[in-house]
PDB file of all heavy atoms in Angstrom:
ATOM      1  N   LYS A 678     -14.727  -0.885  -4.278  1.00  0.00           N
ATOM      2  CA  LYS A 678     -13.275  -0.959  -4.123  1.00  0.00           C
ATOM      3  C   LYS A 678     -12.677   0.441  -4.045  1.00  0.00           C
ATOM      4  O   LYS A 678     -11.822   0.706  -3.198  1.00  0.00           O
ATOM      5  CB  LYS A 678     -12.658  -1.731  -5.291  1.00  0.00           C
ATOM      6  CG  LYS A 678     -12.890  -3.227  -5.203  1.00  0.00           C
ATOM      7  CD  LYS A 678     -12.469  -3.959  -6.453  1.00  0.00           C
ATOM      8  CE  LYS A 678     -11.003  -3.923  -6.696  1.00  0.00           C
ATOM      9  NZ  LYS A 678     -10.596  -4.816  -7.812  1.00  0.00           N
ATOM     10  N   GLN A 679     -13.132   1.360  -4.899  1.00  0.00           N
ATOM     11  CA  GLN A 679     -12.616   2.722  -4.888  1.00  0.00           C
ATOM     12  C   GLN A 679     -12.900   3.408  -3.562  1.00  0.00           C
ATOM     13  O   GLN A 679     -12.059   4.135  -3.029  1.00  0.00           O
ATOM     14  CB  GLN A 679     -13.213   3.524  -6.042  1.00  0.00           C
ATOM     15  CG  GLN A 679     -12.680   3.102  -7.384  1.00  0.00           C
ATOM     16  CD  GLN A 679     -13.374   3.811  -8.527  1.00  0.00           C
ATOM     17  OE1 GLN A 679     -14.337   4.547  -8.335  1.00  0.00           O
ATOM     18  NE2 GLN A 679     -12.880   3.582  -9.742  1.00  0.00           N
ATOM     19  N   LYS A 680     -14.087   3.165  -3.014  1.00  0.00           N
ATOM     20  CA  LYS A 680     -14.454   3.778  -1.732  1.00  0.00           C
ATOM     21  C   LYS A 680     -13.554   3.260  -0.605  1.00  0.00           C
ATOM     22  O   LYS A 680     -13.062   4.038   0.217  1.00  0.00           O
ATOM     23  CB  LYS A 680     -15.920   3.466  -1.424  1.00  0.00           C
ATOM     24  CG  LYS A 680     -16.417   4.097  -0.160  1.00  0.00           C
ATOM     25  CD  LYS A 680     -17.880   3.788   0.073  1.00  0.00           C
ATOM     26  CE  LYS A 680     -18.342   4.378   1.382  1.00  0.00           C
ATOM     27  NZ  LYS A 680     -19.722   4.024   1.687  1.00  0.00           N
ATOM     28  N   ILE A 681     -13.314   1.951  -0.571  1.00  0.00           N
ATOM     29  CA  ILE A 681     -12.468   1.367   0.468  1.00  0.00           C
ATOM     30  C   ILE A 681     -11.039   1.875   0.337  1.00  0.00           C
ATOM     31  O   ILE A 681     -10.408   2.260   1.328  1.00  0.00           O
ATOM     32  CB  ILE A 681     -12.513  -0.177   0.419  1.00  0.00           C
ATOM     33  CG1 ILE A 681     -13.909  -0.684   0.816  1.00  0.00           C
ATOM     34  CG2 ILE A 681     -11.455  -0.788   1.327  1.00  0.00           C
ATOM     35  CD1 ILE A 681     -14.119  -2.168   0.609  1.00  0.00           C
ATOM     36  N   VAL A 682     -10.513   1.895  -0.890  1.00  0.00           N
ATOM     37  CA  VAL A 682      -9.148   2.359  -1.118  1.00  0.00           C
ATOM     38  C   VAL A 682      -9.007   3.821  -0.699  1.00  0.00           C
ATOM     39  O   VAL A 682      -8.036   4.203  -0.038  1.00  0.00           O
ATOM     40  CB  VAL A 682      -8.735   2.148  -2.593  1.00  0.00           C
ATOM     41  CG1 VAL A 682      -7.446   2.877  -2.916  1.00  0.00           C
ATOM     42  CG2 VAL A 682      -8.599   0.658  -2.895  1.00  0.00           C
ATOM     43  N   ALA A 683      -9.981   4.641  -1.050  1.00  0.00           N
ATOM     44  CA  ALA A 683      -9.939   6.051  -0.671  1.00  0.00           C
ATOM     45  C   ALA A 683      -9.932   6.205   0.848  1.00  0.00           C
ATOM     46  O   ALA A 683      -9.205   7.044   1.394  1.00  0.00           O
ATOM     47  CB  ALA A 683     -11.125   6.793  -1.277  1.00  0.00           C
ATOM     48  N   GLU A 684     -10.708   5.382   1.526  1.00  0.00           N
ATOM     49  CA  GLU A 684     -10.748   5.445   2.992  1.00  0.00           C
ATOM     50  C   GLU A 684      -9.411   5.025   3.599  1.00  0.00           C
ATOM     51  O   GLU A 684      -8.910   5.672   4.525  1.00  0.00           O
ATOM     52  CB  GLU A 684     -11.865   4.542   3.510  1.00  0.00           C
ATOM     53  CG  GLU A 684     -12.109   4.678   4.991  1.00  0.00           C
ATOM     54  CD  GLU A 684     -13.336   3.925   5.462  1.00  0.00           C
ATOM     55  OE1 GLU A 684     -14.208   3.603   4.637  1.00  0.00           O
ATOM     56  OE2 GLU A 684     -13.415   3.668   6.673  1.00  0.00           O
ATOM     57  N   LEU A 685      -8.816   3.959   3.076  1.00  0.00           N
ATOM     58  CA  LEU A 685      -7.527   3.497   3.587  1.00  0.00           C
ATOM     59  C   LEU A 685      -6.436   4.543   3.369  1.00  0.00           C
ATOM     60  O   LEU A 685      -5.581   4.750   4.224  1.00  0.00           O
ATOM     61  CB  LEU A 685      -7.133   2.172   2.925  1.00  0.00           C
ATOM     62  CG  LEU A 685      -7.989   0.961   3.276  1.00  0.00           C
ATOM     63  CD1 LEU A 685      -7.616  -0.226   2.397  1.00  0.00           C
ATOM     64  CD2 LEU A 685      -7.871   0.605   4.745  1.00  0.00           C
ATOM     65  N   ILE A 686      -6.491   5.227   2.238  1.00  0.00           N
ATOM     66  CA  ILE A 686      -5.491   6.257   1.948  1.00  0.00           C
ATOM     67  C   ILE A 686      -5.744   7.505   2.794  1.00  0.00           C
ATOM     68  O   ILE A 686      -4.805   8.096   3.335  1.00  0.00           O
ATOM     69  CB  ILE A 686      -5.483   6.592   0.441  1.00  0.00           C
ATOM     70  CG1 ILE A 686      -4.922   5.400  -0.343  1.00  0.00           C
ATOM     71  CG2 ILE A 686      -4.672   7.847   0.154  1.00  0.00           C
ATOM     72  CD1 ILE A 686      -5.043   5.510  -1.841  1.00  0.00           C
ATOM     73  N   SER A 687      -6.991   7.888   2.954  1.00  0.00           N
ATOM     74  CA  SER A 687      -7.289   9.098   3.726  1.00  0.00           C
ATOM     75  C   SER A 687      -6.928   8.941   5.197  1.00  0.00           C
ATOM     76  O   SER A 687      -6.629   9.926   5.870  1.00  0.00           O
ATOM     77  CB  SER A 687      -8.763   9.481   3.587  1.00  0.00           C
ATOM     78  OG  SER A 687      -9.582   8.558   4.272  1.00  0.00           O
ATOM     79  N   GLU A 688      -6.937   7.714   5.686  1.00  0.00           N
ATOM     80  CA  GLU A 688      -6.574   7.465   7.081  1.00  0.00           C
ATOM     81  C   GLU A 688      -5.096   7.123   7.228  1.00  0.00           C
ATOM     82  O   GLU A 688      -4.670   6.643   8.283  1.00  0.00           O
ATOM     83  CB  GLU A 688      -7.450   6.352   7.649  1.00  0.00           C
ATOM     84  CG  GLU A 688      -8.908   6.771   7.732  1.00  0.00           C
ATOM     85  CD  GLU A 688      -9.795   5.704   8.329  1.00  0.00           C
ATOM     86  OE1 GLU A 688      -9.287   4.626   8.702  1.00  0.00           O
ATOM     87  OE2 GLU A 688     -10.997   5.952   8.426  1.00  0.00           O
ATOM     88  N   ASN A 689      -4.324   7.345   6.178  1.00  0.00           N
ATOM     89  CA  ASN A 689      -2.880   7.124   6.171  1.00  0.00           C
ATOM     90  C   ASN A 689      -2.480   5.690   6.500  1.00  0.00           C
ATOM     91  O   ASN A 689      -1.398   5.452   7.030  1.00  0.00           O
ATOM     92  CB  ASN A 689      -2.164   8.098   7.111  1.00  0.00           C
ATOM     93  CG  ASN A 689      -2.265   9.514   6.622  1.00  0.00           C
ATOM     94  OD1 ASN A 689      -2.228   9.755   5.419  1.00  0.00           O
ATOM     95  ND2 ASN A 689      -2.416  10.447   7.532  1.00  0.00           N
ATOM     96  N   ILE A 690      -3.342   4.745   6.186  1.00  0.00           N
ATOM     97  CA  ILE A 690      -2.994   3.340   6.347  1.00  0.00           C
ATOM     98  C   ILE A 690      -2.128   2.916   5.161  1.00  0.00           C
ATOM     99  O   ILE A 690      -1.199   2.142   5.302  1.00  0.00           O
ATOM    100  CB  ILE A 690      -4.263   2.475   6.471  1.00  0.00           C
ATOM    101  CG1 ILE A 690      -4.995   2.874   7.754  1.00  0.00           C
ATOM    102  CG2 ILE A 690      -3.937   0.995   6.447  1.00  0.00           C
ATOM    103  CD1 ILE A 690      -6.369   2.327   7.907  1.00  0.00           C
ATOM    104  N   TYR A 691      -2.459   3.445   3.984  1.00  0.00           N
ATOM    105  CA  TYR A 691      -1.657   3.271   2.772  1.00  0.00           C
ATOM    106  C   TYR A 691      -1.397   4.639   2.186  1.00  0.00           C
ATOM    107  O   TYR A 691      -2.106   5.598   2.479  1.00  0.00           O
ATOM    108  CB  TYR A 691      -2.390   2.399   1.743  1.00  0.00           C
ATOM    109  CG  TYR A 691      -2.389   0.935   2.102  1.00  0.00           C
ATOM    110  CD1 TYR A 691      -3.439   0.374   2.825  1.00  0.00           C
ATOM    111  CD2 TYR A 691      -1.350   0.110   1.715  1.00  0.00           C
ATOM    112  CE1 TYR A 691      -3.438  -0.969   3.162  1.00  0.00           C
ATOM    113  CE2 TYR A 691      -1.344  -1.239   2.044  1.00  0.00           C
ATOM    114  CZ  TYR A 691      -2.390  -1.762   2.759  1.00  0.00           C
ATOM    115  OH  TYR A 691      -2.382  -3.088   3.091  1.00  0.00           O
ATOM    116  N   GLN A 692      -0.387   4.717   1.316  1.00  0.00           N
ATOM    117  CA  GLN A 692      -0.065   5.984   0.667  1.00  0.00           C
ATOM    118  C   GLN A 692      -0.756   6.051  -0.685  1.00  0.00           C
ATOM    119  O   GLN A 692      -1.139   5.032  -1.264  1.00  0.00           O
ATOM    120  CB  GLN A 692       1.434   6.126   0.506  1.00  0.00           C
ATOM    121  CG  GLN A 692       2.144   6.181   1.839  1.00  0.00           C
ATOM    122  CD  GLN A 692       3.593   6.561   1.704  1.00  0.00           C
ATOM    123  OE1 GLN A 692       4.057   6.871   0.625  1.00  0.00           O
ATOM    124  NE2 GLN A 692       4.298   6.539   2.815  1.00  0.00           N
ATOM    125  N   ALA A 693      -0.905   7.265  -1.200  1.00  0.00           N
ATOM    126  CA  ALA A 693      -1.578   7.472  -2.478  1.00  0.00           C
ATOM    127  C   ALA A 693      -0.885   6.711  -3.609  1.00  0.00           C
ATOM    128  O   ALA A 693      -1.544   6.293  -4.568  1.00  0.00           O
ATOM    129  CB  ALA A 693      -1.650   8.959  -2.793  1.00  0.00           C
ATOM    130  N   THR A 694       0.402   6.507  -3.488  1.00  0.00           N
ATOM    131  CA  THR A 694       1.133   5.767  -4.526  1.00  0.00           C
ATOM    132  C   THR A 694       0.742   4.292  -4.568  1.00  0.00           C
ATOM    133  O   THR A 694       1.019   3.610  -5.551  1.00  0.00           O
ATOM    134  CB  THR A 694       2.655   5.880  -4.320  1.00  0.00           C
ATOM    135  OG1 THR A 694       2.970   5.429  -2.997  1.00  0.00           O
ATOM    136  CG2 THR A 694       3.128   7.314  -4.502  1.00  0.00           C
ATOM    137  N   ASP A 695       0.085   3.799  -3.524  1.00  0.00           N
ATOM    138  CA  ASP A 695      -0.355   2.401  -3.467  1.00  0.00           C
ATOM    139  C   ASP A 695      -1.729   2.189  -4.103  1.00  0.00           C
ATOM    140  O   ASP A 695      -2.202   1.057  -4.174  1.00  0.00           O
ATOM    141  CB  ASP A 695      -0.409   1.923  -2.009  1.00  0.00           C
ATOM    142  CG  ASP A 695       0.948   1.930  -1.340  1.00  0.00           C
ATOM    143  OD1 ASP A 695       1.954   1.681  -2.022  1.00  0.00           O
ATOM    144  OD2 ASP A 695       0.998   2.202  -0.123  1.00  0.00           O
ATOM    145  N   ARG A 696      -2.364   3.251  -4.567  1.00  0.00           N
ATOM    146  CA  ARG A 696      -3.742   3.170  -5.066  1.00  0.00           C
ATOM    147  C   ARG A 696      -3.899   2.127  -6.171  1.00  0.00           C
ATOM    148  O   ARG A 696      -4.817   1.291  -6.123  1.00  0.00           O
ATOM    149  CB  ARG A 696      -4.212   4.529  -5.572  1.00  0.00           C
ATOM    150  CG  ARG A 696      -5.638   4.518  -6.090  1.00  0.00           C
ATOM    151  CD  ARG A 696      -6.069   5.884  -6.577  1.00  0.00           C
ATOM    152  NE  ARG A 696      -6.010   6.894  -5.539  1.00  0.00           N
ATOM    153  CZ  ARG A 696      -6.968   7.137  -4.654  1.00  0.00           C
ATOM    154  NH1 ARG A 696      -8.078   6.456  -4.703  1.00  0.00           N
ATOM    155  NH2 ARG A 696      -6.821   8.066  -3.743  1.00  0.00           N
ATOM    156  N   SER A 697      -3.045   2.138  -7.177  1.00  0.00           N
ATOM    157  CA  SER A 697      -3.215   1.196  -8.294  1.00  0.00           C
ATOM    158  C   SER A 697      -3.054  -0.248  -7.824  1.00  0.00           C
ATOM    159  O   SER A 697      -3.782  -1.140  -8.270  1.00  0.00           O
ATOM    160  CB  SER A 697      -2.251   1.517  -9.428  1.00  0.00           C
ATOM    161  OG  SER A 697      -0.927   1.409  -8.993  1.00  0.00           O
ATOM    162  N   TYR A 698      -2.103  -0.479  -6.918  1.00  0.00           N
ATOM    163  CA  TYR A 698      -1.917  -1.825  -6.358  1.00  0.00           C
ATOM    164  C   TYR A 698      -3.170  -2.261  -5.592  1.00  0.00           C
ATOM    165  O   TYR A 698      -3.662  -3.384  -5.770  1.00  0.00           O
ATOM    166  CB  TYR A 698      -0.698  -1.862  -5.433  1.00  0.00           C
ATOM    167  CG  TYR A 698      -0.631  -3.100  -4.584  1.00  0.00           C
ATOM    168  CD1 TYR A 698      -0.274  -4.321  -5.132  1.00  0.00           C
ATOM    169  CD2 TYR A 698      -0.953  -3.050  -3.229  1.00  0.00           C
ATOM    170  CE1 TYR A 698      -0.229  -5.478  -4.353  1.00  0.00           C
ATOM    171  CE2 TYR A 698      -0.916  -4.190  -2.445  1.00  0.00           C
ATOM    172  CZ  TYR A 698      -0.554  -5.400  -3.013  1.00  0.00           C
ATOM    173  OH  TYR A 698      -0.523  -6.535  -2.234  1.00  0.00           O
ATOM    174  N   LEU A 699      -3.689  -1.380  -4.764  1.00  0.00           N
ATOM    175  CA  LEU A 699      -4.860  -1.725  -3.958  1.00  0.00           C
ATOM    176  C   LEU A 699      -6.082  -2.005  -4.822  1.00  0.00           C
ATOM    177  O   LEU A 699      -6.871  -2.908  -4.522  1.00  0.00           O
ATOM    178  CB  LEU A 699      -5.161  -0.601  -2.963  1.00  0.00           C
ATOM    179  CG  LEU A 699      -4.136  -0.421  -1.845  1.00  0.00           C
ATOM    180  CD1 LEU A 699      -4.397   0.870  -1.088  1.00  0.00           C
ATOM    181  CD2 LEU A 699      -4.145  -1.613  -0.908  1.00  0.00           C
ATOM    182  N   LEU A 700      -6.253  -1.247  -5.893  1.00  0.00           N
ATOM    183  CA  LEU A 700      -7.414  -1.451  -6.766  1.00  0.00           C
ATOM    184  C   LEU A 700      -7.346  -2.776  -7.517  1.00  0.00           C
ATOM    185  O   LEU A 700      -8.374  -3.269  -7.987  1.00  0.00           O
ATOM    186  CB  LEU A 700      -7.550  -0.288  -7.745  1.00  0.00           C
ATOM    187  CG  LEU A 700      -8.013   1.023  -7.120  1.00  0.00           C
ATOM    188  CD1 LEU A 700      -7.942   2.156  -8.131  1.00  0.00           C
ATOM    189  CD2 LEU A 700      -9.418   0.893  -6.547  1.00  0.00           C
ATOM    190  N   GLU A 701      -6.160  -3.359  -7.618  1.00  0.00           N
ATOM    191  CA  GLU A 701      -6.008  -4.659  -8.274  1.00  0.00           C
ATOM    192  C   GLU A 701      -6.379  -5.814  -7.341  1.00  0.00           C
ATOM    193  O   GLU A 701      -6.637  -6.922  -7.800  1.00  0.00           O
ATOM    194  CB  GLU A 701      -4.583  -4.847  -8.782  1.00  0.00           C
ATOM    195  CG  GLU A 701      -4.211  -3.904  -9.903  1.00  0.00           C
ATOM    196  CD  GLU A 701      -5.040  -4.126 -11.153  1.00  0.00           C
ATOM    197  OE1 GLU A 701      -5.328  -5.299 -11.486  1.00  0.00           O
ATOM    198  OE2 GLU A 701      -5.417  -3.125 -11.793  1.00  0.00           O
ATOM    199  N   LEU A 702      -6.404  -5.551  -6.039  1.00  0.00           N
ATOM    200  CA  LEU A 702      -6.751  -6.604  -5.085  1.00  0.00           C
ATOM    201  C   LEU A 702      -8.231  -6.962  -5.211  1.00  0.00           C
ATOM    202  O   LEU A 702      -9.061  -6.116  -5.540  1.00  0.00           O
ATOM    203  CB  LEU A 702      -6.477  -6.135  -3.652  1.00  0.00           C
ATOM    204  CG  LEU A 702      -5.017  -5.935  -3.261  1.00  0.00           C
ATOM    205  CD1 LEU A 702      -4.939  -5.340  -1.858  1.00  0.00           C
ATOM    206  CD2 LEU A 702      -4.263  -7.244  -3.331  1.00  0.00           C
ATOM    207  N   PRO A 703      -8.574  -8.211  -4.921  1.00  0.00           N
ATOM    208  CA  PRO A 703      -9.988  -8.598  -4.910  1.00  0.00           C
ATOM    209  C   PRO A 703     -10.743  -7.840  -3.804  1.00  0.00           C
ATOM    210  O   PRO A 703     -10.156  -7.476  -2.776  1.00  0.00           O
ATOM    211  CB  PRO A 703      -9.961 -10.094  -4.600  1.00  0.00           C
ATOM    212  CG  PRO A 703      -8.573 -10.547  -4.900  1.00  0.00           C
ATOM    213  CD  PRO A 703      -7.691  -9.351  -4.687  1.00  0.00           C
ATOM    214  N   LEU A 704     -12.014  -7.617  -4.028  1.00  0.00           N
ATOM    215  CA  LEU A 704     -12.844  -6.888  -3.062  1.00  0.00           C
ATOM    216  C   LEU A 704     -12.798  -7.557  -1.692  1.00  0.00           C
ATOM    217  O   LEU A 704     -12.729  -6.878  -0.670  1.00  0.00           O
ATOM    218  CB  LEU A 704     -14.286  -6.793  -3.567  1.00  0.00           C
ATOM    219  CG  LEU A 704     -15.274  -6.093  -2.657  1.00  0.00           C
ATOM    220  CD1 LEU A 704     -14.838  -4.658  -2.378  1.00  0.00           C
ATOM    221  CD2 LEU A 704     -16.664  -6.112  -3.259  1.00  0.00           C
ATOM    222  N   LYS A 705     -12.808  -8.871  -1.670  1.00  0.00           N
ATOM    223  CA  LYS A 705     -12.784  -9.604  -0.397  1.00  0.00           C
ATOM    224  C   LYS A 705     -11.539  -9.244   0.423  1.00  0.00           C
ATOM    225  O   LYS A 705     -11.617  -9.063   1.635  1.00  0.00           O
ATOM    226  CB  LYS A 705     -12.828 -11.107  -0.665  1.00  0.00           C
ATOM    227  CG  LYS A 705     -12.920 -11.945   0.572  1.00  0.00           C
ATOM    228  CD  LYS A 705     -13.075 -13.399   0.227  1.00  0.00           C
ATOM    229  CE  LYS A 705     -13.196 -14.230   1.495  1.00  0.00           C
ATOM    230  NZ  LYS A 705     -13.388 -15.649   1.196  1.00  0.00           N
ATOM    231  N   ASN A 706     -10.393  -9.137  -0.251  1.00  0.00           N
ATOM    232  CA  ASN A 706      -9.156  -8.776   0.453  1.00  0.00           C
ATOM    233  C   ASN A 706      -9.230  -7.349   0.999  1.00  0.00           C
ATOM    234  O   ASN A 706      -8.783  -7.085   2.121  1.00  0.00           O
ATOM    235  CB  ASN A 706      -7.959  -8.915  -0.474  1.00  0.00           C
ATOM    236  CG  ASN A 706      -7.662 -10.346  -0.838  1.00  0.00           C
ATOM    237  OD1 ASN A 706      -8.548 -11.201  -0.822  1.00  0.00           O
ATOM    238  ND2 ASN A 706      -6.437 -10.622  -1.195  1.00  0.00           N
ATOM    239  N   LEU A 707      -9.762  -6.439   0.213  1.00  0.00           N
ATOM    240  CA  LEU A 707      -9.884  -5.049   0.671  1.00  0.00           C
ATOM    241  C   LEU A 707     -10.819  -4.954   1.878  1.00  0.00           C
ATOM    242  O   LEU A 707     -10.548  -4.218   2.824  1.00  0.00           O
ATOM    243  CB  LEU A 707     -10.396  -4.153  -0.466  1.00  0.00           C
ATOM    244  CG  LEU A 707      -9.395  -3.866  -1.572  1.00  0.00           C
ATOM    245  CD1 LEU A 707     -10.075  -3.145  -2.722  1.00  0.00           C
ATOM    246  CD2 LEU A 707      -8.225  -3.071  -1.048  1.00  0.00           C
ATOM    247  N   GLU A 708     -11.909  -5.716   1.824  1.00  0.00           N
ATOM    248  CA  GLU A 708     -12.833  -5.713   2.959  1.00  0.00           C
ATOM    249  C   GLU A 708     -12.160  -6.283   4.207  1.00  0.00           C
ATOM    250  O   GLU A 708     -12.387  -5.787   5.309  1.00  0.00           O
ATOM    251  CB  GLU A 708     -14.096  -6.506   2.611  1.00  0.00           C
ATOM    252  CG  GLU A 708     -14.970  -5.807   1.602  1.00  0.00           C
ATOM    253  CD  GLU A 708     -16.150  -6.645   1.159  1.00  0.00           C
ATOM    254  OE1 GLU A 708     -16.063  -7.879   1.144  1.00  0.00           O
ATOM    255  OE2 GLU A 708     -17.171  -6.044   0.811  1.00  0.00           O
ATOM    256  N   SER A 709     -11.306  -7.281   4.041  1.00  0.00           N
ATOM    257  CA  SER A 709     -10.577  -7.853   5.176  1.00  0.00           C
ATOM    258  C   SER A 709      -9.625  -6.830   5.785  1.00  0.00           C
ATOM    259  O   SER A 709      -9.526  -6.717   7.007  1.00  0.00           O
ATOM    260  CB  SER A 709      -9.784  -9.087   4.741  1.00  0.00           C
ATOM    261  OG  SER A 709     -10.643 -10.100   4.320  1.00  0.00           O
ATOM    262  N   ILE A 710      -8.930  -6.087   4.927  1.00  0.00           N
ATOM    263  CA  ILE A 710      -8.024  -5.041   5.414  1.00  0.00           C
ATOM    264  C   ILE A 710      -8.819  -3.999   6.190  1.00  0.00           C
ATOM    265  O   ILE A 710      -8.410  -3.540   7.258  1.00  0.00           O
ATOM    266  CB  ILE A 710      -7.261  -4.390   4.248  1.00  0.00           C
ATOM    267  CG1 ILE A 710      -6.309  -5.394   3.609  1.00  0.00           C
ATOM    268  CG2 ILE A 710      -6.498  -3.153   4.712  1.00  0.00           C
ATOM    269  CD1 ILE A 710      -5.701  -4.941   2.300  1.00  0.00           C
ATOM    270  N   LEU A 711      -9.963  -3.627   5.663  1.00  0.00           N
ATOM    271  CA  LEU A 711     -10.810  -2.630   6.320  1.00  0.00           C
ATOM    272  C   LEU A 711     -11.291  -3.143   7.676  1.00  0.00           C
ATOM    273  O   LEU A 711     -11.292  -2.402   8.662  1.00  0.00           O
ATOM    274  CB  LEU A 711     -11.995  -2.284   5.417  1.00  0.00           C
ATOM    275  CG  LEU A 711     -12.749  -1.020   5.717  1.00  0.00           C
ATOM    276  CD1 LEU A 711     -11.847   0.197   5.604  1.00  0.00           C
ATOM    277  CD2 LEU A 711     -13.920  -0.873   4.759  1.00  0.00           C
ATOM    278  N   LEU A 712     -11.657  -4.408   7.747  1.00  0.00           N
ATOM    279  CA  LEU A 712     -12.101  -4.986   9.017  1.00  0.00           C
ATOM    280  C   LEU A 712     -10.963  -5.049  10.031  1.00  0.00           C
ATOM    281  O   LEU A 712     -11.178  -4.806  11.216  1.00  0.00           O
ATOM    282  CB  LEU A 712     -12.685  -6.379   8.799  1.00  0.00           C
ATOM    283  CG  LEU A 712     -14.052  -6.422   8.131  1.00  0.00           C
ATOM    284  CD1 LEU A 712     -14.454  -7.865   7.853  1.00  0.00           C
ATOM    285  CD2 LEU A 712     -15.093  -5.733   8.982  1.00  0.00           C
ATOM    286  N   LEU A 713      -9.767  -5.387   9.570  1.00  0.00           N
ATOM    287  CA  LEU A 713      -8.616  -5.427  10.482  1.00  0.00           C
ATOM    288  C   LEU A 713      -8.325  -4.043  11.047  1.00  0.00           C
ATOM    289  O   LEU A 713      -7.937  -3.897  12.201  1.00  0.00           O
ATOM    290  CB  LEU A 713      -7.376  -5.954   9.758  1.00  0.00           C
ATOM    291  CG  LEU A 713      -7.378  -7.428   9.435  1.00  0.00           C
ATOM    292  CD1 LEU A 713      -6.177  -7.782   8.566  1.00  0.00           C
ATOM    293  CD2 LEU A 713      -7.377  -8.251  10.709  1.00  0.00           C
TER     294      LEU A 713
END
């Protein structure tokens, strides 16, 4: 989850302030966001 969140933030898809929210999401949801 940390790796996916870091990738989403580094690519400016989400902002660093969204990190705690993103880490609360289930892994399946994060993987779906990454696939999209």
Side-chain angles (χ1 to χ4, degrees):
K678 286 171 66 171
Q679 289 175 354
K680 182 178 177 184
I681 293 172
V682 168
E684 188 172 340
L685 292 172
I686 291 171
S687 71
E688 294 182 1
N689 293 324
I690 296 169
Y691 285 93
Q692 296 190 5
T694 56
D695 297 327
R696 181 180 300 275
S697 61
Y698 167 74
L699 291 169
L700 288 173
E701 293 296 321
L702 292 174
L704 179 59
K705 185 175 181 178
N706 292 26
L707 287 172
E708 289 175 330
S709 296
I710 293 169
L711 197 61
L712 287 175
L713 288 173

